[in-house]
Amino acid sequence: MSAFSPEQIVVLGQSPTPFYCYDLKLLQQTLDTVKSESGKYGFHVHYAMKANVEDEVLELIRSAGFGADCVSGGEVEKALRAGFSAAQVVFAGVGKSDAEIIAALRDDIFCFNCESIPEIEIINEHALTLGKKARIALRINPNVHANTHHYITTGLEENKFGIGVNELPAVLDVIKLCEAISLIGLHFHIGSQITDLNVFKQLCVRVNEIQEWFVSRKISIQIINVGGGLGVNYYEPDKERIPDFAAYFKVFKRFLEIRNGQEVHFELGRAIVAQSGTLISRALFVKKGVQTQFAVLDAGMTELIRPALYQAYHKVENLTATPGSKSERYDVVGPVCESSDCFGKAMELHTIKRGDIIAIRTAGAYGSVMASHYNLRQLNPPVFLK
Ligand code: LLP
């Protein structure tokens, strides 16, 4: 059983490959679920723009009432152009440039998630010059292991992200001297593609301890931002089209000590958009190797770099296999001049023939946004299934 109907496969076959295809119905159902499950506890969700910035995708997310979590001036600008209100935009990132800070201050965005003392000082300087008050949250590195790929682990002491707990007294001293800074929140993000909910429980325990430290100094914190990171099922996308948001939010309700009047914010990217995106390609050649056969596709690491970069698994399907055809093993590779340009080794697929339409699933997050022009390759425009 394919995730696409025969009629949809005909539509997909009419567009030049490779391209990304988005199932907007599934995205809407996912957004409805996030909204109802987070709404049960009054939680606020900002969509992590870095996962996908297609206009049609942003439009649905904005209409659902979520805010935007941005990590560059380009993303802030895109969020505002997409219609997110400045009051719903947060700006994170370990290396914000002066131009990015000034533009965000001029736009009156809701909050800067700050990652170091020098950054706080620079934001203060620019805010003073512009006659603005900058709201900030401190991104604290909680030293919690996310149990995910080391490239997408962010909450350990060895990572470049966040302010170490031992630095907090010095940070507070600096903030006291910064007239144009208003501390409104604490921010945490420990990593991405986290499938073990126990990791989030550990995060809550750590956040509670850190919050206690602020309370004991009579500093009240309006917002606790616990970041994003909820993982998706790459192996069996049809079993879990919508991630278990109910269980995810429940962990925070249960284990996070939320003080009176305090807001809890989330920054979810992958879990919102991953399953609704598919990379569609065509089989160019089936080539005999010594120990295996290669299915050479017209999509490669330039369109979806996750397998090459993180050894990530994406389910591959032959959408136009001859009915009843047997399964064979293929190394599924792209056309790019790199041996890492491989979607998977010895993948079992229905017999592939030249011209078959091949789907690479669960590619809606960190797919098109990470595409490159290496080898002067060009991605075709996306197709939206409504
Ligand atoms: N907040 C912050 C501060 C982040 O750094 C990230 C992701 C998120 C929120 C959203 O995390 P999510 O809910 O999507 O897990 N390119 C990698 C993922 C990099 C994630 C970077 N930060 C991949 O393809 O797996």
Side-chain angles (χ1 to χ4, degrees):
M1 247 291 281
S2 157
F4 299 97
S5 68
E7 296 75 28
Q8 287 174 332
I9 294 172
V10 170
V11 171
L12 297 177
Q14 287 160 354
S15 295
T17 49
F19 61 90
Y20 276 92
C21 151
Y22 296 97
D23 178 344
L24 295 183
K25 237 189 233 158
L26 175 61
L27 177 58
Q28 188 59 57
Q29 286 165 1
T30 308
L31 291 168
D32 293 344
T33 309
V34 177
K35 202 165 179 182
S36 64
E37 295 303 332
S38 61
K40 278 184 189 165
Y41 314 117
F43 291 162
H44 298 247
V45 176
H46 287 83
Y47 164 65
M49 297 269 295
K50 61 174 81 66
N52 189 301
V53 289
E54 294 295 349
D55 290 339
E56 284 77 354
V57 167
L58 292 183
E59 176 53 22
L60 288 194
I61 295 173
R62 186 199 59 78
S63 307
F66 300 125
D69 162 43
C70 305
V71 286
S72 71
E75 284 189 3
V76 171
E77 202 187 312
K78 176 92 189 178
L80 295 175
R81 254 191 293 129
F84 289 91
S85 81
Q88 286 179 301
V89 169
V90 299
F91 183 12
V94 68
K96 303 176 183 79
S97 75
D98 290 63
E100 289 176 321
I101 292 169
I102 292 168
L105 284 167
R106 287 213 169 105
D107 288 329
D108 280 320
I109 62 153
F110 174 60
C111 187
F112 291 85
N113 292 340
C114 293
E115 307 223 6
S116 66
I117 289 178
E119 181 194 333
I120 296 170
E121 289 170 336
I122 292 296
I123 293 176
N124 181 57
E125 268 177 37
H126 289 306
L128 281 176
T129 311
L130 294 171
K132 303 266 187 187
K133 189 104 179 169
R135 289 166 294 275
I136 70 160
L138 298 178
R139 176 165 182 183
I140 298 174
N141 187 327
N143 201 24
V144 171
H145 210 299
N147 218 354
T148 184
H149 191 277
H150 59 286
Y151 280 9
I152 50 176
T153 292
T154 53
L156 290 179
E157 274 169 2
E158 70 198 50
N159 302 131
K160 68 180 175 184
F161 300 99
I163 296 169
V165 171
N166 57 346
E167 248 196 297
L168 288 177
V171 171
L172 291 187
D173 288 344
V174 168
I175 290 177
K176 267 186 223 138
L177 301 174
C178 290
E179 283 168 50
I181 294 285
S182 161
L183 174 64
I184 61 166
L186 303 182
H187 174 225
F188 305 85
H189 173 78
I190 53 172
S192 198
Q193 184 51 17
I194 297 169
T195 49
D196 174 5
L197 290 183
N198 201 36
V199 166
F200 293 113
K201 177 184 163 190
Q202 285 161 26
L203 171 65
C204 290
V205 170
R206 196 70 189 107
V207 172
N208 294 341
E209 285 167 14
I210 293 170
Q211 217 195 150
E212 200 49 55
W213 186 89
F214 282 86
V215 171
S216 69
R217 278 155 188 78
K218 307 222 170 348
I219 298 166
S220 77
I221 298 291
Q222 296 159 39
I223 292 163
I224 299 289
N225 179 339
V226 288
L230 177 62
V232 299
N233 191 338
Y234 282 97
Y235 288 89
E236 294 181 291
D238 294 320
K239 261 204 180 153
E240 227 179 313
R241 304 270 281 158
I242 299 178
D244 192 352
F245 290 104
Y248 170 70
F249 288 119
K250 211 180 201 168
V251 169
F252 291 91
K253 176 65 187 168
R254 194 153 159 228
F255 296 105
L256 194 64
E257 282 166 21
I258 305 164
R259 320 241 156 198
N260 250 350
Q262 205 166 47
E263 289 179 12
V264 182
H265 289 205
F266 292 80
E267 301 167 341
L268 291 166
R270 186 190 315 265
I272 292 179
V273 289
Q275 295 294 22
S276 52
T278 306
L279 176 59
I280 302 291
S281 68
R282 272 199 176 76
L284 293 173
F285 307 108
V286 174
K287 172 180 159 164
K288 269 206 180 333
V290 178
Q291 287 154 9
T292 178
Q293 55 182 348
F294 296 99
V296 184
L297 309 185
D298 65 2
M301 65 191 288
T302 38
E303 287 69 47
L304 181 67
I305 200 175
R306 301 194 71 259
L309 192 56
Y310 315 113
Q311 301 78 48
Y313 176 86
H314 285 258
K315 191 166 188 204
V316 176
E317 287 169 355
N318 182 354
L319 297 187
T320 45
T322 311
S325 70
K326 59 180 174 99
S327 281
E328 295 186 50
R329 285 189 190 277
Y330 300 90
D331 283 9
V332 180
V333 301
V336 175
C337 302
E338 301 268 344
S339 293
S340 60
D341 185 26
C342 176
F343 289 113
K345 289 197 180 294
M347 289 183 127
E348 203 163 306
L349 290 159
H350 285 291
T351 301
I352 293 179
K353 52 191 186 311
R354 177 170 164 78
D356 272 342
I357 301 176
I358 309 295
I360 301 157
R361 304 283 307 276
T362 320
Y366 307 109
S368 58
V369 283
M370 293 179 81
S372 78
H373 296 298
Y374 183 41
N375 288 187
L376 281 189
R377 286 171 53 77
Q378 195 69 42
L379 183 58
N380 293 297
V383 168
F384 297 95
L385 301 174
K386 299 190 175 151

